[in-house]
Amino acid sequence: MKYKSLVAAGAAVALLFSSAAWAGDKKMIVWVPNGASDFWKLAEAGMRKAQTELPDFDLEWKYPERADAAIQQRLIEDLAAAGADAIAVSPLNPKTQTDAFNKIGSQLPLFTFDSDAADSKRVFYIGSSNTELGKNAGEVAVKAMPKGGKCMGFVGNTGADNARERIEGFKAVAGPHNIELVDVRTDDHDQTRARANVDDTLVAHGEIDCMVGFYSYNPPKIYESLRDNGKLGQITVIAFDEDPITLGAVKDGSFAGTVVQQPFEWAYQGSKMFAAYLNGDKSVVPANGVDIIPGKIITKDNVDEFKADLKAKLSSQ
């Protein structure tokens, strides 16, 4: 039976898993994101679709208690101790977590998604090229501000590779067009703080005429603050991801556009690749250790089509 060190790990660890887990000899693959956010609903839907095609595996999605690298690390250590066969993680801070990831990676296959930890013993990364996503956002900014502008960025954690690469990509495209990213305010995935950062910018930085929300929950907080302060339409907003508030703002013209990823495909394709790897098929590992699923630019012109596709994916599960 497939309980390995479950008893030794303790009852608290066992409760990490749903009652459906650990059925018979099924292998367990667990996805661990970087924190709780509506952004991950699409990825969970993709994982559930993969589950219907992988009857010999149990797929689980486990959130850390909060967006903290130490807490995330304890969670994946507990999962490994409880007998998970593979873990996919979106690192909160790959630089500080590398040694810990190496320890886990020496025990079981460790994969990364959304944000990579390329220097660790992970098998491979699946997700977006965050540099390219940042460049896409820069393209939106250039089109929306042909005369240039001064932008304030907002993000959860500048230490994460996905944030750093998006910022670098944005600067690379927007900078030569006289669009300056003056600063990037962090919030450690605290949404109250994310809103406060926007409010504070409106008070302290009157020169800012552009805002960039680099994580999925940042654009909705930008929208709320601009709406409540009577600034909607006065400040150009470039967004990331597909929160309903963000898509509504793109549709009504309050936001210039948003750059979306394909988290559904990360989890759908990733789950099947991880399962194949566990079954001994090493050909699924990309030659360079990176499997890129391109993002998309969503503007007023294509937002309705995108929303229809989004609804279909979420409702099919």
Side-chain angles (χ1 to χ4, degrees):
M1 294 294 287
K2 184 73 180 61
Y3 289 96
K4 297 181 181 176
S5 56
L6 181 60
V7 175
V13 174
L15 291 175
L16 288 167
F17 299 101
S18 71
S19 60
W22 306 98
D25 292 322
K26 292 184 178 182
K27 294 178 180 178
M28 170 70 70
I29 300 172
V30 189
W31 291 77
V32 179
N34 55 15
S37 168
D38 285 347
F39 170 76
W40 294 117
K41 289 181 180 178
L42 266 176
E44 290 189 66
M47 186 193 73
R48 289 195 298 271
K49 180 180 179 183
Q51 180 70 86
T52 67
E53 301 175 21
L54 297 169
D56 295 330
F57 290 81
D58 277 319
L59 307 179
E60 290 284 315
W61 191 273
K62 296 296 175 186
Y63 288 100
E65 292 177 11
R66 67 175 184 272
D68 179 277
I71 290 174
Q72 184 187 57
Q73 189 60 39
R74 283 198 297 271
L75 174 58
I76 64 174
E77 288 172 355
D78 286 346
L79 293 169
D85 293 279
I87 296 173
V89 61
S90 174
L92 274 155
N93 194 326
K95 290 182 176 59
T96 64
Q97 291 177 282
T98 296
D99 288 344
F101 286 163
N102 286 342
K103 180 180 177 182
I104 296 296
S106 67
Q107 300 173 36
L108 50 77
L110 180 71
F111 306 90
T112 53
F113 66 100
D114 181 45
S115 185
D116 199 7
D119 295 330
S120 72
K121 291 181 179 179
R122 57 95 168 118
V123 180
F124 66 85
Y125 164 80
I126 185 167
S128 302
S129 164
N130 286 289
T131 300
E132 291 303 315
L133 295 177
K135 290 179 179 179
N136 292 156
E139 293 170 19
V140 175
V142 170
K143 186 174 181 180
M145 298 183 292
K147 296 182 179 180
K150 292 185 178 296
C151 303
M152 183 68 77
F154 303 92
V155 75
N157 175 17
T158 53
D161 280 0
N162 59 353
R164 177 181 55 78
E165 291 168 1
R166 290 179 193 184
I167 292 166
E168 290 174 355
F170 180 84
K171 288 180 176 179
V173 171
H177 293 269
N178 199 32
I179 298 172
E180 178 187 1
L181 188 62
V182 175
D183 198 3
V184 180
R185 299 299 174 86
T186 60
D187 52 59
D188 294 321
H189 297 259
D190 181 331
Q191 297 199 25
T192 299
R193 186 172 158 194
R195 165 64 192 264
N197 282 344
V198 184
D199 291 337
D200 291 347
T201 296
L202 291 175
V203 172
H205 293 274
E207 78 280 11
I208 294 298
D209 56 6
C210 157
M211 293 183 173
V212 187
F214 285 102
Y215 276 5
S216 62
Y217 59 84
N218 292 120
K221 296 305 175 186
I222 293 172
Y223 181 89
E224 292 173 8
S225 179
L226 295 182
R227 177 198 63 199
D228 295 348
N229 287 283
K231 297 287 187 178
L232 273 178
Q234 298 178 31
I235 292 178
T236 299
V237 180
I238 296 93
F240 279 78
D241 302 316
E242 62 284 318
D243 186 278
I245 292 175
T246 298
L247 296 179
V250 171
K251 183 176 175 63
D252 71 20
S254 299
F255 286 6
T258 188
V259 178
V260 302
Q261 305 174 82
Q262 298 194 66
F264 181 97
E265 295 299 330
W266 299 350
Y268 173 62
Q269 296 182 31
S271 291
K272 295 200 295 182
M273 292 169 74
F274 303 161
Y277 184 88
L278 288 177
N279 281 339
D281 182 4
K282 302 304 188 287
S283 70
V284 299
V285 179
N288 63 352
V290 174
D291 186 19
I292 297 299
I293 298 177
K296 300 177 181 178
I297 294 175
I298 305 300
T299 65
K300 196 170 185 177
D301 294 336
N302 62 352
V303 66
D304 286 336
E305 177 185 353
F306 176 75
K307 287 173 68 176
D309 179 64
L310 196 65
K311 183 178 179 180
K313 285 177 176 174
L314 288 171
S315 62
S316 65
Q317 303 303 308

